[in-house]
Amino acid sequence: MEISKTIIERIPCGDYQVNTYLVACAATRQGVIIDPAGEEDRLAAIVRKAGVEIKYILNTHGHADHVVANKGLGRLFSAPVGMHEADDDFFADKQVRMKTTAELGLDPPDPADIRFTDGEKIQVGDLSIEVLHTPGHTPGSCCYLVEGNLFTGDTLFVGAVGRTDLTGGSLGKLLSSIKNKIMPLPPETVVWPGHDYGDSPTSTVGREIEENPCITDFLL
């Protein structure tokens, strides 16, 4: 799917059907993979068919289902893996690693090659990718804002928000993140969530403000 100068392909992957995204600059064919959830050969074939040069592997957060193919695809494309510094620290803790492995049945991520901070911008071809730190689902959850498209991971779904009962979760912080980082965005901003749990694979910030019960009931 091509939106303006941005190529976006949504690829549900793995046992948890995580939405992995290929996001690329249409002009330069440079791009990123967001949340590589497994099925490395399939993802690699899609990237090659699109003719995209992968510059980064980006994680919205460190939960194991979103990082399964970090290492394999990073090695294949010689691309560094990046996540927010708070999750890189959080998932490095031995006790946290044990707890999250028990919760999700998968190994947590290895240390990131690049650690992001809130507001940092990553240049990929003609695209500027802004990191929005949105803690709550995990301490270092973040969204990536790309040319009017917001990749929300497990922070915001269509009609719902991410769970906060897993290790490191906080409902208060999640709601604060949505209020302060997502709701101020232009209403036409397209929301690309980490899972397809709603009545459509995508939404907009404006629609979620009007219809998402977690926003209407808790924040408005």
Side-chain angles (χ1 to χ4, degrees):
M1 176 178 191
E2 191 163 316
I3 301 176
S4 184
K5 63 181 182 180
T6 311
I7 297 167
I8 299 175
E9 187 157 357
R10 182 180 68 91
I11 311 149
C13 285
D15 293 340
Y16 288 83
Q17 286 295 280
V18 171
N19 284 332
T20 295
Y21 292 100
L22 171 62
V23 182
C25 169
T28 66
R29 260 12 206 202
Q30 293 183 353
V32 301
I33 296 174
I34 298 176
D35 288 350
E39 302 184 51
E40 292 176 21
D41 291 343
R42 176 175 166 234
L43 290 175
I46 289 170
V47 169
R48 292 190 180 109
K49 184 177 179 181
V52 171
E53 176 190 4
I54 299 299
K55 304 299 290 184
Y56 300 97
I57 309 291
L58 304 180
N59 295 144
T60 59
H61 63 292
H63 277 155
D65 54 326
H66 288 251
V67 304
V68 175
N70 271 4
K71 186 183 295 184
L73 291 180
R75 199 164 44 228
L76 179 64
F77 293 119
S78 299
V81 174
M83 71 171 61
H84 191 274
E85 59 183 4
D87 260 17
D88 194 40
D89 289 338
F90 182 69
F91 287 97
D93 182 272
K94 187 174 182 180
Q95 292 301 315
V96 169
R97 294 180 71 84
M98 291 175 59
K99 289 178 181 177
T100 58
T101 298
E103 288 171 341
L104 296 172
L106 295 167
D107 292 332
D110 292 329
D113 300 310
I114 300 175
R115 291 158 54 92
F116 298 129
T117 57
D118 184 44
E120 188 167 345
K121 293 185 178 180
I122 310 150
Q123 194 69 31
V124 178
D126 295 334
L127 301 179
S128 178
I129 303 174
E130 184 175 359
V131 180
L132 303 181
H133 184 208
T134 52
H137 182 64
T138 64
S141 285
C142 65
C143 300
Y144 296 105
L145 182 62
V146 191
E147 302 293 335
N149 299 281
L150 187 69
F151 299 88
T152 57
D154 288 2
T155 294
L156 178 67
F157 300 129
V158 177
V161 299
R163 59 190 294 186
T164 57
D165 59 319
L166 299 174
T167 300
S170 166
L171 179 59
K173 289 181 179 179
L174 181 67
L175 293 174
S176 178
S177 293
I178 292 171
K179 179 179 180 180
N180 296 316
K181 293 296 182 66
I182 296 178
M183 290 175 64
L185 295 173
E188 66 272 17
T189 303
V190 181
V191 173
W192 301 83
H195 297 271
D196 184 8
Y197 290 155
D199 59 8
S200 63
T202 66
S203 184
T204 64
V205 167
R207 181 189 173 200
E208 293 309 300
I209 290 174
E210 291 178 357
E211 300 180 8
N212 190 317
C214 299
I215 294 176
T216 59
D217 293 359
F218 291 97
L219 293 174
L220 297 178

